[in-house]
Amino acid sequence: MFDRRLFTNFDWTLLVVVILISAFGVVNIYSATSSYREVGHPYYLKQIYWIVAGVVLCLTVCSLDYHMLEDFAYWLYGGVLFLLVLVLVAGKTSMGATRWIHLGFFTVQPSEPMKIVIIITFARFFSRYPVFKGLTLRDLLYPLMLLGAPVLLIMKQPDLGTAILVAMIAWTILFFVGVRWSALATICAAAIPVIYGGWRFVLHDYQKKRIYNFLNPDLDPQGSGYHIIQSKIAVGSGGTFGKGFLHGTQSQLRFLPEQHTDFAFSVFGEEWGFVGCLVMLILYLFLILWGLGIAKRCNDRFGALLAVGVCAMLFWHIVINMGMVIGLFPVVGVPLPFFSYGGTSMVTSMIGVGILLNISMRRFMF
Amino acid sequence: MKPQQNILPDDDGSHRLIGISLGACVMFFLILTRLWYLQIIDTENLMDQSESNRLRFVPVAAPRGAIVDRNGKVLVSNTPSFSVAVIPQDVKNKDELVGNLARYLKLDRQEIVDKWTKGQGRAKYYPLVVASGITRDQMEFLEENRLSLSGVNIEMKPIRAYANGELAAHLLGYLGEVSEDELGTERYKDYNAGDYTGKSGIERSWESFLHGTDGGRQIEVDARGRFLRTVEETNSMVGNTVMLTIDVEMQKAAEEALAGRAGAAVAMDVNTGEILAFASSPNFDPALFTGRIPADKWKGYLEDEKRPLENKALRGMYPPGSTFKIVTAIAGLEEGLIDEHTAVDCPGYYKFGNATFRCWDKKGHGHVELRKALRESCDVYFYKLAERLGVDRIAAYARKLGLGAPLGVGLDNEKGGLIPTQAWKLKRFGKRWYSGETLPVGIGQGYVLTTPIQLASMISTVANEGTVFQPHLVKKVVDSDGKVIKEFQPQVLQKAALKPQTYKLIKDGLFAVVNEPHGTGGMARLSEVKVAGKTGSSQVVKLRAVKGDIPYKYRDHALFVGYAPYEKPEIAVAVIVEHGEHGGSAAAPVAGRVLRAYFEQKGVIKKPVPKKAVTAGEGEGSGPGAPAPAPGSPAAPAGGVPAATLPAPPAAKPAADRPQVH
């Protein structure tokens, strides 16, 4: 199973880019948390542990042939879906949301693996599904059911950010497979009453408030609009070259909310300025395009679908997080892959990269 | 090799992959555009916002400048006041701290808690004053117990100290916090809520000089409002010292003489317009107004019928009464209607149409010419003169002498008095002037109103023979290094330009008022210096019918205007005692005391160091008593008795060209 070709075909570029981004992340977390009074290990150190763990996991993932996933796809899907149901029934509630469940000695957040699992599931579904001139409405019935179940469960937790992400990943795969314009139009038309209903009956007040505040943050500058305003101030005040490492006043004086996690990029923007942000954007864009290149070069349908899915996952995380930080999107709790502090995000993203590496190095296997 | 496994038989999805790649690029470009906007285009604005996030300005009030008298004696300065403040961010245990403070300061727990709660909205680094004006002992006690008082700061703040208590309270004025309305105005554009400013008197008019330059600290705070460090500090600059023209000894004399009564006294240098005394009685305590005035005190001030809060010297408008006869007489002389020999018979009244105008002396003055008319203040003489003059001619001379308009002494809200004319009445009431209304104007009644400061200026102009100086209160302004910033020279408002003979006759009459038998102003007489002047009593209401004791508020006002020395005038005085009834008995002695203080200061009159001398002096003053009888007692040494030998003042120049008037 361990072919020497695997090693010679190993996609070093991809791994280097990821580690480079992660390294920037660590440096940034060091600055973002330098004003914290920490207990135990400092955050940047813990992030390094997570990166190491992530890389190990990533290499583990790519050491196993991804085609195995094709066989387990629905089992994985069923298992994670079951956990999502379990969360709602017996989950741990913190800050108004029920996202975690105790599994013996540790807790898991099943909405997170769902991001990967939905990719595998869709890849499995469409790898054996004949499509002619795009998916029709009828073709979409099962995939949308597969998607709808976890999305609704995640929204119920409530975790709007993850629900949107899962949906966006799935739709990107659908777009890659090809959807007929007539089907798309019908769904859009149907979506209007659904969105209205969702707004009225499903969304929580705090979620609505976030959307209101995104539309007009000045409504409540000290309250819920605070995050967006402070983040925009931080990024903008960085100017062309930034205020310098450890010299961002917005972050060092803690005007930014959650500055080592969801708003890490705003710390970076303040301290490194437009030039720093440009470098980060180029790295991320390179990562995405490289990933899509892997999909293109991949010889089997399942692999291509998987690669596109992983790219979609990373892409939407990046876009939604950055959009939120610079005030383009409402505040939803979406971390910036490899860059925000947090083990969960790191693990998920690294598994994604593992899958990409896996596909990349096996492209000549068939 | 396996055959290529396509997603669609005819489609490997690669064109959609290109679409997806392009889509990703577009999205990233959007983000880049937004970053460009925030970090390049709008960066200055956002930079400012981030600076105002972290930087706070804590102002430090400058100590106010002092106010001193003409000889440099301090009237108002500053004294440290200690207050106890807590800095919430440094407090460890609020309950315990409140308890300790309450115990140490002997304050009510609740009081401290209330003040604390009130200031809760402010930043956590902001000192929150919980007790002010603590004693030095209390402060030292707190210092000793610092350890149990973490988060407590003892702050020193300069507050106003009034060296002479209530002395000259109206003139000096008081301080208060800038009001909300004022904060929006141009005058207070550099002030913050809670800043102190002069609310009246010199403190108000000279605010910009006295205030000094506030300093402050630019501090950095974090998102929770905690103080981190001082970024920049600017020291405050003490305000300038304002030196008044006032002589504190004369001011004291004036206020002591007025004590217990409502009224005003103004003394002025006749050759410069400098105001030497500026008293309004009763006084208030200016110190009470800094901080919060106790409700009962405030109520007391408001309800007092003597109106202690009103600056009567500046704003009190009184009918000048017989002191106005000086104006009428000048008008008559200048218009050629009378000379020193023009005689009138006074039977004690004057019938005009079917109205009867009474002379104050019902018995009448008999044959009266100008000198006697002034000396004994015969009303009938001036009724007749006023009738011949007409109101407009009287008004013209009143204005020449500086009456009828504010003089601009340099305090806010100065009143202008009122000199009626025919045109004025038509405009004001829409009715023509009746000649019967002219008669009371001739004796300073009717519509005529003057302020004490105007009367002082008027008599000063007579004394210096024609120069209307602008009365002023400030000699100079000196900065903290002793450099003179502003110095005031005498300002001539206008020249009265009257004939020398007119002054001679008027002054002669005024001399007689004070120094001759039957003169109404005898109680202003000084032994060492010759005083000239004119008494006045002005009706508050026409209530001659009332028998017996007239209620206080209906009694006549008593006035006196005068100057000294007669031969070479230096100082003019105007006094009004509200409801004092007779100018001669109520107002003239006040003027006498003020003049005495002036000449004592100059060394012309020996200061009555032993207590005995004071009583002797007073005995001399009150001995000659009321206007009418010549002093029988020979107690008076000099000017008092020898009325007969009087018009031979051996003094200087006026004697030469003065005719023997008798």
Side-chain angles (χ1 to χ4, degrees):
Chain A
M1 188 167 172
F2 264 84
D3 201 314
R4 198 154 40 127
R5 276 189 304 175
L6 286 182
F7 189 74
T8 46
N9 288 332
F10 188 79
D11 197 340
W12 291 106
T13 313
L14 181 58
L15 191 64
V16 165
V17 169
V18 164
I19 289 177
L20 200 59
I21 293 172
S22 303
F24 279 131
V26 170
V27 168
N28 189 58
I29 287 164
Y30 179 84
S31 172
T33 59
S34 68
S35 63
Y36 290 15
R37 266 178 227 150
E38 287 172 79
V39 183
H41 295 289
Y43 283 101
Y44 75 93
L45 207 58
K46 285 196 262 186
Q47 180 78 347
I48 291 174
Y49 299 156
W50 282 118
I51 292 169
V52 172
V55 170
V56 170
L57 197 64
C58 162
L59 296 176
T60 314
V61 166
C62 73
S63 64
L64 308 167
D65 192 337
Y66 66 91
H67 291 98
M68 282 166 56
L69 292 171
E70 215 171 342
D71 304 330
F72 296 122
Y74 291 133
W75 289 106
L76 283 170
Y77 179 80
V80 175
L81 201 63
F82 172 73
L83 289 179
L84 281 174
V85 175
L86 203 65
V87 163
L88 288 183
V89 181
K92 187 177 115 183
T93 305
S94 74
M95 308 213 303
T98 314
R99 295 175 186 173
W100 303 80
I101 40 171
H102 288 281
L103 280 183
F105 54 94
F106 70 107
T107 57
V108 294
Q109 188 182 1
S111 55
E112 196 63 26
M114 193 40 127
K115 290 173 187 168
I116 303 279
V117 168
I118 197 77
I119 296 168
I120 299 170
T121 309
F122 267 50
R124 162 72 181 78
F125 184 85
F126 287 111
S127 64
R128 304 194 184 166
Y129 195 90
V131 182
F132 299 98
K133 293 195 166 118
L135 298 164
T136 62
L137 213 50
R138 177 193 288 271
D139 296 328
L140 283 170
L141 184 64
Y142 289 117
L144 288 186
M145 276 166 67
L146 285 172
L147 174 63
V151 166
L152 285 176
L153 285 170
I154 295 168
M155 275 172 88
K156 195 84 189 80
Q157 289 183 354
D159 184 352
L160 192 62
T162 309
I164 289 173
L165 268 166
V166 170
M168 297 296 259
I169 293 163
W171 272 100
T172 310
I173 297 173
L174 287 178
F175 181 76
F176 173 60
V177 172
V179 182
R180 288 194 189 178
W181 287 110
S182 57
L184 212 57
T186 315
I187 287 168
C188 285
I192 293 166
V194 170
I195 289 170
Y196 176 77
W199 179 262
R200 283 291 302 273
F201 305 113
V202 181
L203 282 188
H204 284 253
D205 278 345
Y206 85 91
Q207 290 167 329
K208 287 187 201 173
K209 214 169 164 191
R210 279 184 182 177
I211 293 168
Y212 279 134
N213 277 305
F214 160 68
L215 295 173
N216 188 2
D218 297 328
L219 274 183
D220 184 11
Q222 283 305 311
S224 42
Y226 180 83
H227 292 190
I228 290 179
I229 291 174
Q230 293 303 333
S231 178
K232 266 163 49 178
I233 291 174
V235 172
S237 64
T240 311
F241 298 104
K243 296 178 186 170
F245 183 56
L246 294 177
H247 284 91
T249 55
Q250 287 285 101
S251 47
Q252 302 305 325
L253 304 176
R254 313 271 291 271
F255 287 97
L256 285 172
E258 303 173 45
Q259 58 191 34
H260 62 301
T261 58
D262 292 353
F263 284 88
F265 189 66
S266 122
V267 176
F268 188 82
E270 184 182 24
E271 297 190 343
W272 300 92
F274 182 74
V275 172
C277 291
L278 184 64
V279 169
M280 286 307 296
L281 274 181
I282 290 170
L283 284 174
Y284 275 122
L285 186 61
F286 179 85
L287 178 68
I288 299 300
L289 295 179
W290 191 265
L292 291 173
I294 290 171
K296 175 140 173 51
R297 290 195 301 272
C298 179
N299 290 326
D300 69 306
R301 202 177 178 189
F302 180 67
L305 284 162
L306 268 185
V308 168
V310 171
C311 289
M313 179 181 83
L314 295 174
F315 174 76
W316 288 116
H317 271 93
I318 296 162
V319 168
I320 292 175
N321 180 277
M322 287 192 178
M324 164 184 85
V325 161
I326 59 182
L328 284 177
F329 295 145
V331 175
V332 284
V334 172
L336 190 56
F338 312 111
F339 197 79
S340 292
Y341 174 81
T344 312
S345 161
M346 185 60 75
V347 165
T348 312
S349 306
M350 283 295 189
I351 289 174
V353 172
I355 292 171
L356 283 181
L357 289 170
N358 198 331
I359 298 163
S360 175
M361 65 203 248
R362 288 189 171 80
R363 63 181 184 272
F364 304 113
M365 299 278 289
F366 305 98
Chain B
M1 259 253 194
K2 279 190 185 177
Q4 192 164 323
Q5 194 180 3
N6 289 330
I7 290 169
L8 297 174
D10 58 339
D11 172 17
D12 63 354
S14 60
H15 68 281
R16 278 190 297 277
L17 263 184
I18 291 168
I20 287 172
S21 305
L22 280 176
C25 291
V26 168
M27 282 300 244
F28 272 68
F29 185 74
L30 261 177
I31 289 171
L32 191 69
T33 319
R34 175 70 174 172
L35 284 168
W36 176 272
Y37 172 75
L38 289 177
Q39 298 187 305
I40 309 287
I41 294 174
D42 204 27
T43 184
E44 262 177 56
N45 167 34
L46 293 166
M47 190 70 197
D48 286 349
Q49 288 191 39
S50 89
E51 288 296 280
S52 64
N53 256 346
R54 74 182 180 108
L55 297 176
R56 299 278 183 283
F57 189 74
V58 183
V60 176
R64 270 181 99 76
I67 304 177
V68 301
D69 91 336
R70 63 184 299 117
N71 300 312
K73 286 187 191 155
V74 173
L75 297 170
V76 188
S77 58
N78 301 311
T79 186
S81 157
F82 298 97
S83 55
V84 181
V86 291
I87 297 170
Q89 75 177 41
D90 297 336
V91 173
K92 291 198 186 92
N93 185 335
K94 183 177 166 181
D95 272 349
E96 195 186 300
L97 182 63
V98 170
N100 284 342
L101 280 176
R103 209 168 57 244
Y104 294 154
L105 297 172
K106 300 193 169 53
L107 281 173
D108 189 30
R109 241 188 108 90
Q110 194 53 45
E111 204 178 317
I112 299 176
V113 173
D114 285 348
K115 282 190 180 150
W116 199 320
T117 327
K118 242 177 87 182
Q120 209 118 59
R122 302 219 209 170
K124 288 187 165 59
Y125 61 83
Y126 212 92
L128 221 149
V129 175
V130 292
S132 43
I134 63 166
T135 65
R136 211 169 261 274
D137 285 348
Q138 282 177 316
M139 182 198 73
E140 278 163 12
F141 192 72
L142 290 181
E143 288 287 354
E144 280 163 23
N145 291 283
R146 275 212 94 93
L147 283 177
S148 59
L149 294 168
S150 74
V152 168
N153 236 24
I154 292 164
E155 299 190 329
M156 197 282 282
K157 198 176 74 175
I159 60 163
R160 274 319 213 189
Y162 300 89
N164 300 290
E166 298 189 355
L167 188 84
H170 297 97
L171 168 62
L172 299 173
Y174 60 90
L175 298 183
E177 282 186 18
V178 184
S179 73
E180 212 134 294
D181 297 340
E182 286 170 334
L183 276 176
T185 61
E186 179 64 22
R187 182 182 172 127
Y188 294 104
K189 64 178 161 51
D190 294 332
Y191 288 69
N192 296 307
D195 283 359
Y196 277 90
T197 179
K199 288 287 187 183
S200 72
I202 295 288
E203 294 270 30
R204 179 179 165 86
S205 310
W206 294 83
E207 169 70 22
S208 57
F209 290 92
L210 289 166
H211 187 86
T213 313
D214 288 351
R217 293 182 303 139
Q218 184 107 57
I219 62 164
E220 189 175 63
V221 298
D222 69 7
R224 293 160 70 191
R226 287 165 175 275
F227 167 80
L228 298 175
R229 66 191 176 101
T230 300
V231 179
E232 212 184 323
E233 196 159 6
T234 44
N235 290 325
S236 61
M237 289 256 298
V238 62
N240 303 308
T241 297
V242 171
M243 177 180 269
L244 300 182
T245 58
I246 297 294
D247 181 321
V248 72
E249 297 305 325
M250 290 177 68
Q251 182 76 19
K252 276 182 189 163
E255 295 196 5
E256 278 163 22
L258 283 170
R261 291 180 289 180
V266 176
M268 210 170 122
D269 185 322
V270 301
N271 298 311
T272 61
E274 289 179 354
I275 296 170
L276 299 166
F278 192 82
S280 174
S281 181
N283 269 321
F284 60 87
D285 183 358
L288 284 178
F289 287 79
T290 310
R292 284 189 40 201
I293 179 165
D296 56 324
K297 285 274 183 192
W298 178 245
K299 204 166 160 239
Y301 283 148
L302 286 183
E303 288 175 357
D304 191 335
E305 64 181 346
K306 295 193 174 101
R307 306 186 316 286
L309 295 178
E310 184 185 320
N311 187 345
K312 299 184 180 73
L314 183 75
R315 294 174 46 77
M317 297 211 289
Y318 305 95
S322 301
T323 60
F324 195 72
K325 286 173 185 166
I326 297 169
V327 178
T328 313
I330 286 173
L333 288 167
E334 285 290 304
E335 295 290 318
L337 297 183
I338 52 165
D339 60 24
E340 63 267 45
H341 304 300
T342 313
V344 156
D345 183 61
C346 168
Y349 61 87
Y350 176 54
K351 271 205 186 312
F352 181 82
N354 34 13
T356 303
F357 289 87
R358 295 196 162 277
C359 187
W360 67 269
D361 188 349
K362 284 180 207 130
K363 298 194 297 284
H365 294 96
H367 180 83
V368 181
E369 47 199 50
L370 180 61
R371 194 163 193 279
K372 186 179 174 188
L374 284 170
R375 182 181 71 205
E376 294 172 30
S377 203
C378 175
D379 291 339
V380 171
Y381 182 93
F382 289 98
Y383 287 145
K384 289 191 173 173
L385 177 54
E387 183 191 346
R388 292 171 66 198
L389 279 165
V391 67
D392 285 355
R393 281 203 280 187
I394 298 175
Y397 285 93
R399 292 200 166 271
K400 277 191 181 183
L401 292 164
L403 299 176
L407 291 161
V409 295
L411 295 179
D412 287 7
N413 303 317
E414 185 184 347
K415 291 275 189 185
L418 174 61
I419 299 299
T421 58
Q422 296 191 31
W424 166 81
K425 193 189 172 196
L426 199 64
K427 201 174 157 211
R428 174 78 176 73
F429 296 109
K431 286 187 187 142
R432 69 180 189 83
W433 184 270
Y434 297 104
S435 42
E437 291 174 311
T438 307
L439 273 57
V441 168
I443 62 159
Q445 294 281 161
Y447 297 110
V448 188
L449 292 173
T450 55
T451 64
I453 188 84
Q454 285 178 327
L455 288 179
S457 162
M458 183 271 281
I459 192 65
S460 162
T461 302
V462 171
N464 69 30
E465 305 198 349
T467 310
V468 182
F469 284 105
Q470 180 161 53
H472 58 277
L473 289 157
V474 175
K475 220 173 154 58
K476 55 186 178 183
V477 180
V478 183
D479 74 7
S480 52
D481 300 328
K483 211 178 83 202
V484 176
I485 291 175
K486 239 180 149 113
E487 189 154 23
F488 291 86
Q489 302 300 332
Q491 289 276 324
V492 177
L493 284 179
Q494 60 194 54
K495 289 274 192 183
L498 308 180
K499 295 177 223 158
Q501 179 69 5
T502 302
Y503 291 120
K504 200 182 297 170
L505 292 174
I506 296 289
K507 285 177 147 183
D508 184 49
L510 299 182
F511 180 80
V513 169
V514 177
N515 298 293
E516 288 182 10
H518 305 290
T520 54
M523 289 175 83
R525 203 179 303 158
L526 297 177
S527 43
E528 292 87 344
V529 184
K530 293 201 175 74
V531 178
K534 181 74 194 80
T535 58
S537 313
S538 64
Q539 275 182 14
V540 179
V541 283
K542 282 182 183 162
L543 250 185
R544 284 294 181 225
V546 176
K547 298 271 181 208
D549 260 3
I550 304 167
Y552 173 77
K553 62 177 175 176
Y554 297 136
R555 290 179 207 160
D556 290 351
H557 293 324
L559 296 101
F560 183 86
V561 297
Y563 62 89
Y566 168 70
E567 305 88 345
K568 196 170 184 297
E570 291 173 16
I571 171 174
V573 186
V575 175
I576 166 144
V577 177
E578 287 188 6
H579 312 297
E581 298 198 288
H582 302 294
S585 60
V590 176
R593 291 261 311 258
V594 175
L595 292 172
R596 170 177 292 279
Y598 175 79
F599 290 108
E600 278 175 1
Q601 285 286 94
K602 279 196 73 178
V604 175
I605 299 180
K606 266 199 217 126
K607 278 189 195 179
V609 182
K611 189 92 178 152
K612 230 175 144 192
V614 177
T615 35
E618 276 181 355
E620 180 260 319
S622 55
S633 55
V641 201
T645 55
L646 180 111
K653 95 181 186 264
D657 51 355
R658 165 160 294 133
Q660 296 288 315
V661 200
H662 231 299

